[in-house]
Amino acid sequence: MTARLVVLVSGSGTNLQALLDACADPAYGAEVVAVGADRDGILGLERAERAGVATFVRRVADFESREAWDAALTEAVASYAPDVVVLAGFMKLVGPAFLASFGGRTVNTHPALSPSFPGMHGPADALAYGVKVTGCTLFVVDAGVDTGAIIAQTAVPVEDDDTAETLHERIKTAERAMLVEAVGRMAREGVVVEGRRVRFGH
Ligand code: GRF
């Protein structure tokens, strides 16, 4: 059975593209059934349209409250009946309604080695701290900021002449490979979450 993925994006969507490319092979075991965003006019949505995948946008500013936005986002995602929801550079925290529906099967990718450097500036924070190794983390989304149980991690070296941008680009190359590998395994093998410990299988 092919796993149904809904992917949420806010930006350039290179992680989304990596998933779309992987899904072109039926042996991968998953298909992207819809791409959602919290803003218009982003390359991520364009990539979805180019691939012939349905899109939707739910902007926080169009709703009376954060709760109303969360409910609308949840409803939009639910209409595509996903097995797994992938936050791929989605720059919003999902709320309680979303987690009530999709908790345990929503994953997010973060450009640092958790639990180090959570938040919006993972690469810059790692550089400022002076670590020699950073990386990326795929985790099961919970109510915190980049705190969920860890599914996969890849280490990436920090070079002497790195800027936050060059470091982030190196991390993103690793991040795309990690995401494609781990989501594929989730689709084909399933995933078991026991407390903070995650393993593939069922
Ligand atoms: C990724 O590094 C993601 O972890 C971070 O933003 C980047 C998104 O890149 N939160 P893209 O939109 O997939 O190209």
Side-chain angles (χ1 to χ4, degrees):
M1 214 189 72
T2 304
R4 298 170 63 82
L5 310 180
V6 169
V7 183
L8 301 183
V9 296
S10 299
S12 64
T14 63
N15 282 287
L16 163 66
Q17 188 67 55
L19 284 173
L20 288 168
D21 294 348
C23 288
D25 179 355
Y28 184 66
E31 66 174 315
V32 179
V33 292
V35 171
D38 65 330
R39 61 197 77 185
D40 298 297
I42 54 172
L43 192 52
L45 288 171
E46 240 178 88
R47 291 178 191 276
E49 282 155 19
R50 233 182 281 150
V53 172
T55 63
F56 59 89
V57 175
R58 295 293 180 278
R59 304 185 327 153
V60 173
D62 293 337
F63 294 88
E64 259 176 30
S65 63
R66 190 78 186 201
E67 290 70 31
W69 170 79
D70 186 49
L73 180 72
T74 304
E75 198 185 325
V77 172
S79 71
Y80 292 99
D83 298 302
V84 178
V85 182
V86 181
L87 311 189
F90 188 61
M91 305 306 270
K92 291 280 183 304
L93 286 179
V94 296
F98 191 96
L99 289 173
S101 291
F102 303 111
R105 55 200 175 103
T106 299
V107 302
N108 191 6
T109 166
H110 177 59
L113 287 177
S114 298
S116 293
F117 312 121
M120 306 271 280
H121 308 290
D125 291 347
L127 198 61
Y129 196 93
V131 294
K132 301 298 187 192
V133 176
T134 182
C136 49
T137 301
L138 185 72
F139 62 95
V140 182
V141 173
D142 65 9
V145 178
D146 302 324
T147 50
I150 293 169
I151 303 166
Q153 292 186 300
T154 303
V156 172
V158 180
E159 307 292 354
D160 289 346
D161 58 354
D162 264 335
T163 62
E165 290 71 33
T166 60
L167 178 58
H168 196 183
E169 281 310 312
R170 189 176 311 113
I171 292 170
K172 282 180 69 171
T173 301
E175 201 176 9
R176 290 189 285 266
M178 173 191 72
L179 182 68
V180 165
E181 214 232 301
V183 169
R185 290 194 66 183
M186 287 177 73
R188 295 185 304 270
E189 301 168 34
V191 72
V192 179
V193 182
E194 282 163 342
R196 290 210 53 90
R197 308 277 306 266
V198 179
R199 60 181 171 78
F200 296 111
H202 49 256

